[in-house]
Amino acid sequence: MPITKAFEGKIDYVQILDKDGNIDQTLDPKLPDELLDKLYRFMVLARTWDKKCLALQRTGRMYTYAPLEGQEAIIVGAALALNKEDWIFPTYRESFLYHIRGAELWKINLGWMGMEDGLKLDKSMHCFPLAIPIATQFPHSVGAAYALKQKGIKAATLSFGGDGSTSEGDFHDALNFAGVLNTPSVFLVSNNGFAISVPRKWQTKSETIAQKALAYGIKGVQIDGNDVLCVYSTIKRALDMARDGKGQMLIEAVTYRMGPHTTADDPKKYRNEEEVAYWRERDPIKRFQLYLKGRGLWSMEYEQRILEESSKLVEDAVAKSEAYQPDPKEIFRYVFANMTPDLEEQMQQCFEKK
Ligand SMILES: Cc1ncc(C[n+]2csc(CCOP(=O)(O)OP(=O)(O)O)c2C)c(N)n1
């Protein structure tokens, strides 16, 4: 099981909504109804899209895909906590975040279908590319945060990673530089229990990942990553703090990846049914639904409407991405920033008229 116990008095563990949707009144962020609705809608859309991507991959219509089921609260809570001016440094697991930042879903599909065009995002979205090499995004984010600081721009960076990424040197270099240079940085580690098949306990002997912040003189907190109210309010607080020059924060969001690591993985080989059932009961969408219901903001009709809308958005996006005709020359163009003479020659040979 992933650890949920806080490091003795030094690191707090925060949860606002329990698994049955009951709220801790002392921590209630009192978000407006409109924002609660948005959080819920995006989580439902994320799950609908995720299921579709998995099905597309299984039927040969999409290449490798990294499922997000179980981690919706982290992705949606983080996305809505950001200001437009802030910059994000996501991994393969957070591609849906691009949609909340303004990218059309069909373009994100294109990326997973192997077409570079899909991942050419408008610079105004302030999104860095999805990091596939583990942990490289952390030092990039600190460099960008340092640049923001030097330029006097009031914005922060939010970088994402998994529990496995904290075993890479890049993670530690980044936290160290962020503290020393006092950059406007927030680090979000989704502790989903595994780095592919490697369990969290094999990454580190530390009781929590959050406590690693202490070594670098920055703040650390462990939160319930399946509680969208907690994710949203913790990240918002951390970003406000970073933008105000009041320090950096490492947030460890404890969660669980319900599906495979990617479509190339079979989780049945390294985890058991009871563990999955334990986390199914802690589902981020279910508990938020119960909370909204208790507040009179959820009904069957509302659910039906949202499901239909999500399904239509996803199906329209699939139709558009499948109709897209990429330029086959892209196979050669995107290998390096500038094509080598060899590649130029190969491209010409391929496309010259016979
Ligand atoms: C530098 C590097 N080493 C190894 C890999 C292969 N790899 C891909 S995903 C992964 C596990 C990452 O686990 P974690 O950071 O916990 O993130 P999660 O996938 O669980 O979200 C590994 C080792 C890689 N992509 N990059």
Side-chain angles (χ1 to χ4, degrees), residues 74-228:
I74 296 177
I75 296 164
V76 175
L80 295 184
L82 287 153
N83 282 354
K84 203 169 176 287
E85 296 72 31
D86 297 328
W87 286 80
I88 58 157
F89 296 75
T91 77
Y92 43 84
R93 189 87 55 214
E94 290 92 26
S95 62
F96 183 79
L97 216 147
Y98 285 165
H99 176 58
I100 309 181
R101 288 293 272 181
E104 291 173 274
L105 267 185
W106 73 274
K107 288 217 164 165
I108 306 175
N109 290 349
L110 278 194
W112 289 110
M113 288 170 173
M115 286 173 260
E116 188 69 22
D117 277 351
L119 298 175
K120 281 187 206 152
L121 300 183
D122 193 300
K123 286 205 170 76
S124 65
M125 289 178 199
H126 291 194
C127 296
F128 264 60
L130 302 178
I132 309 288
I134 303 301
T136 49
Q137 68 279 13
F138 294 124
H140 295 165
S141 75
V142 176
Y146 190 49
L148 291 171
K149 183 181 162 179
Q150 295 293 88
K151 289 182 164 187
I153 298 170
K154 202 165 180 204
T157 63
L158 177 62
S159 47
F160 297 75
D163 39 300
S165 72
T166 66
S167 296
E168 289 281 359
D170 274 353
F171 171 76
H172 300 273
D173 295 346
L175 264 63
N176 192 46
F177 271 112
V180 171
L181 300 173
N182 199 26
T183 57
S185 308
V186 179
F187 305 94
L188 178 60
V189 170
S190 304
N191 172 4
N192 64 9
F194 292 90
I196 315 185
S197 56
V198 178
R200 150 65 182 84
K201 67 172 189 277
W202 288 5
Q203 296 295 344
T204 175
K205 196 179 175 186
S206 300
E207 202 173 328
T208 67
I209 286 170
Q211 74 201 59
K212 292 177 190 292
L214 302 178
Y216 301 107
I218 74 174
K219 295 197 173 55
V221 66
Q222 192 189 50
I223 63 169
D224 184 336
N226 285 11
D227 167 4
V228 75

Side-chain angles (χ1 to χ4, degrees), residues 220-239:
V221 66
Q222 192 189 50
I223 63 169
D224 184 336
N226 285 11
D227 167 4
V228 75
L229 291 186
C230 189
V231 173
Y232 173 87
S233 47
T234 308
I235 296 178
K236 193 156 182 41
R237 187 162 50 90
L239 289 167

